[in-house]
Amino acid sequence: MQLFSKNRMWRQHELRSSYDVVIVGAGVHGLAAAYYLGKKHGVRKVALLDKSYLGAGASGRNTAILRSNYRTPEGIPFYDASLKLYEGLSRELDWNLLFSQCGHLTLAHSDSSVTGLRVRAENNQLLGVNSRIIGREEIGNLVPSLNLSESTRYPILAALYHPPGGIIRHDAVVWGLARACDRMGIEIHAFTEVTSIIVENHRAVQVITNRGRVAAGAVLNATAGWATTISRMAGVPLPIVTHPLQACVTEPLKPFLDTVIVSATLHVYLSQTDKGELVIGAEIDPYQSYSMKSTLPTLEQMATYTLELFPQLHGMRILRQWAGICDMTPDFAPIIGTSQEVSNFYMDVGWGTYGFKAAPISGKCIAELIATGKPPGLIQPFSPARFETGNLVGEKAAAAVSH
Ligand code: PYC
């Protein structure tokens, strides 16, 4: 029996001298943009450049949660469109992404967080997203192992229940999209670092890399963590600060948790993978940094809060801990659109901790913008111009952690 295909999932190429579109960052956002450029618009002379291996950045360092129970009238339909694309993506890519719509519970431990979650539930329902407030009894039925005692430090009062939310195998998404791009003739260049961008007459004309220079019809910044670095190369300033975000995974346990749990007060979120491991995430580190090193205090914090929710997990061993880096904007919403300074320089950046969920819809919309010059309605609120007009989106508190 042949276990592995003889054909590689994506090929290696020499760098050509020019491309119609150069995408900086071959994570899930860059890949999704390339995929929809090729699939929907027939734009295939596209190069995806990444300074490392595919999935080395935020695409492989997130906690793989998908959901659309956001707060704002701009965010809710956007993330919901993304969830719907994810629902069809395994079939479309002919690649099992292990998407499990196991449901998503955001716990409230105080009256004020119940009120905040109630507003989210009402906004969600008005916009057709399945999300509602549930009480302790229903929480107990969904997660019998959860500590619902009233004598804990922060007793659980209620939860926002979002049945279509869930988890996906994040690196399978990267691999599936990369394979689909490769099959369309789109080139993926790993270990190709962008060192500068030449701008002439308000257009990005060349991208300089550690493997040579390429001329570009359009340049898309689809990086996470390095969004400001890349945009600055094109002379485009961004209102973004960068923070590490840490997570860890435990040894495999027998299945006991089939819902994503987020605690608004304890700033912790966890889910159980198909292999049985618990994936546990923390809030962002409180200082700006590009460091991808994890720390003991954050591990202690994740362990402490997890044990408040599931005291029976004491003694469980941690297999790995890691950090990713997140680009945070002033209103906690992404920046998607054309730069005001450089007319063919596009951005799909500033995702904070929301990026993985948004990749398919963001890629689809930015591909349409690049191919047609017109921004689809779903991304118009996220244009960089909002920081001048003051029309901010205000997606703070849509995650219960970090935002
Ligand atoms: O927005 O679902 C979320 C999230 C998970 C981890 C950090 N943010």
Side-chain angles (χ1 to χ4, degrees), residues 63 65 67 70 269 353-354 357 399 401:
T63 44
I65 297 171
R67 63 185 179 89
Y70 277 73
Y269 39 96
T353 73
Y354 298 154
K357 315 164 191 18
V401 287

Side-chain angles (χ1 to χ4, degrees), residues 62-79:
N62 60 82
T63 44
I65 297 171
L66 301 186
R67 63 185 179 89
S68 61
N69 57 353
Y70 277 73
R71 263 180 65 83
T72 63
E74 297 86 2
I76 296 164
F78 179 77
Y79 288 94

Side-chain angles (χ1 to χ4, degrees), residues 241-245 284-289 291 324-328:
V241 290
T242 302
H243 288 251
L245 176 71
I284 53 168
D285 287 358
Y287 42 80
Q288 293 178 36
S289 171
S291 168
I325 47 179
C326 301
D327 287 330
M328 317 296 291

Side-chain angles (χ1 to χ4, degrees), residues 71 110-122 133 160 397:
R71 263 180 65 83
S110 66
D111 290 342
S112 66
S113 51
V114 176
T115 306
L117 293 182
R118 203 173 285 290
V119 172
R120 255 169 86 188
E122 284 175 11
I133 297 290
L160 179 68

Side-chain angles (χ1 to χ4, degrees), residues 73 175 236 243 290:
W175 302 332
V236 177
H243 288 251
Y290 289 100

Side-chain angles (χ1 to χ4, degrees), residues 21-48 85 89 173 177-178 180-181 184 186 219-223 336 346-349 351 358-371:
V21 183
V22 171
I23 300 179
V24 187
V28 71
H29 277 260
L31 286 162
Y35 172 70
Y36 287 108
L37 272 170
K39 182 174 168 224
K40 293 262 181 225
H41 305 283
V43 179
R44 296 182 176 180
K45 203 175 159 201
V46 176
L48 281 146
L85 288 176
L89 208 54
V173 178
L177 284 170
C181 286
M184 290 188 283
I186 289 170
V219 177
L220 169 63
N221 178 1
T223 58
I336 319 174
Y346 299 87
M347 289 172 292
D348 174 352
V349 296
W351 287 98
I361 193 62
S362 192
K364 190 170 178 211
C365 291
I366 201 91
E368 187 176 329
L369 171 63
I370 294 172

Side-chain angles (χ1 to χ4, degrees), residues 48-94:
L48 281 146
L49 312 181
D50 202 289
K51 70 174 185 168
S52 188
Y53 63 88
L54 263 55
S59 300
R61 290 169 183 274
N62 60 82
T63 44
I65 297 171
L66 301 186
R67 63 185 179 89
S68 61
N69 57 353
Y70 277 73
R71 263 180 65 83
T72 63
E74 297 86 2
I76 296 164
F78 179 77
Y79 288 94
D80 201 44
S82 204
L83 196 65
K84 295 206 164 85
L85 288 176
Y86 264 123
E87 284 171 353
L89 208 54
S90 288
R91 185 184 297 260
E92 193 174 320
L93 299 177
D94 190 22

